[in-house]
Amino acid sequence: AQSVAQPEDQVNVAEGNPLTVKCTYSVSGNPYLFWYVQYPNRGLQFLLKYITGDNLVKGSYGFEAEFNKSQTSFHLKKPSALVSDSALYFCAVRDMIRAAGNKLTFGGGTRVLVKP
Amino acid sequence: ETGVTQTPRHLVMGMTNKKSLKCEQHLGHNAMYWYKQSAKKPLELMFVYNFKEQTENNSVPSRFSPECPNSSHLFLHLHTLQPEDSALYLCASSQVGLSGNTIYFGEGSWLTVV
């Protein structure tokens, strides 16, 4: 079985400050990890993914995420948040083993509010 | 603008109506999905189609009936729905076999059952 936990329902940050959105996961084998963002009244947009290789992954809009195998975490980060980053962020995981098929398991989402 | 197009964007239907949601992907992918997003629950995977064949049905009630005529089109037929079925329905696609099998979503169809 695979699962994802996003421990914070909401993160508040001042514009220009660093932003971190936390994610931990559980899989049987090695994980594929993803971050998506959802702006109001929109679908989910793909931000970045970890497949293999460097633990630090860079994605769209200046976001990056760090894969930490020992802590089973994949936290999303941005050095300097913008008001326009206010949105709902989802972490997702897929087990690399073939039996997992296409199933992508999502966390419950973290709402980010960036204040001017 | 995404490579996955959903219509209609908004739908209001009575409990005795029959309606359909349509999804088209322009990404050349070979897998398509329906997800349900409601305020009270996290994203729920409903159906998965690989190469037009249904490979997953996540215990979805029979009042939701998917149809995948080809790898580019996916429908969700709706009949005798309940008010609790009101939600955002998201279509998505991916290329199975590519590294990571990244899923790309459409903008969603907002469904209200009255």
Side-chain angles (χ1 to χ4, degrees):
Chain A
Q2 55 194 36
S3 65
V4 177
Q6 293 181 242
E8 300 157 316
D9 289 336
Q10 181 158 327
V11 170
N12 298 318
V13 63
E15 188 173 32
N17 282 2
L19 169 63
T20 298
V21 186
K22 295 179 181 178
C23 171
T24 57
Y25 66 89
S26 174
V27 294
S28 300
N30 292 316
Y32 291 134
L33 292 156
F34 303 81
W35 275 103
Y36 288 83
V37 60
Q38 185 177 32
Y39 297 103
N41 301 315
R42 305 292 297 275
L44 275 68
Q45 293 181 34
F46 168 70
L47 273 180
L48 52 80
K49 66 182 177 184
Y50 170 81
I51 304 301
T52 187
D54 288 342
N55 291 341
L56 186 63
V57 179
K58 294 187 182 296
S60 307
Y61 312 123
F63 283 94
E64 58 187 29
E66 185 167 11
F67 171 64
N68 187 318
K69 188 172 184 177
S70 62
Q71 297 185 4
T72 62
S73 67
F74 190 56
H75 301 329
L76 181 69
K77 300 180 181 182
K78 186 170 184 179
S80 178
L82 301 172
V83 172
S84 57
D85 293 328
S86 298
L88 188 57
Y89 291 81
F90 290 95
C91 182
V93 68
R94 177 186 293 113
D95 201 315
M96 280 190 195
I97 62 173
R98 283 186 174 270
N102 295 4
K103 190 169 183 176
L104 190 62
T105 300
F106 285 85
T110 298
R111 189 165 300 281
V112 170
L113 180 60
V114 182
K115 297 181 180 179
Chain B
E1 184 178 340
T2 73
V4 181
T5 304
Q6 291 187 241
T7 55
R9 292 295 314 280
H10 299 272
L11 177 62
V12 179
M13 60 185 289
M15 289 189 284
T16 58
N17 291 161
K18 290 185 179 181
K19 297 286 185 182
S20 296
L21 305 180
K22 179 183 176 182
C23 177
E24 183 176 1
Q25 60 97 358
H26 312 275
L27 300 170
H29 289 165
N30 53 24
M32 297 189 76
Y33 312 76
W34 280 115
Y35 281 85
K36 176 183 177 182
Q37 185 180 23
S38 55
K40 299 180 180 179
K41 293 185 178 180
L43 276 165
E44 301 174 69
L45 177 64
M46 299 175 72
F47 302 104
V48 180
Y49 279 83
N50 284 330
F51 301 97
K52 304 186 299 179
E53 299 298 322
Q54 188 180 125
T55 56
E56 185 148 353
N57 176 336
N58 235 14
S59 303
V60 181
S62 59
R63 57 185 184 269
F64 295 91
S65 175
E67 178 189 1
C68 187
N70 54 59
S71 294
S72 299
H73 293 86
L74 184 65
F75 296 89
L76 188 62
H77 303 300
L78 316 169
H79 61 98
T80 59
L81 294 192
Q82 304 299 311
E84 59 264 29
D85 296 323
S86 299
L88 177 65
Y89 289 85
L90 292 161
C91 177
S93 71
S94 72
Q95 183 64 20
V96 176
L98 275 188
S99 178
N101 189 8
T102 303
I103 291 179
Y104 294 91
F105 287 85
E107 296 287 15
S109 293
W110 285 97
L111 174 65
T112 302
V113 181
V114 297

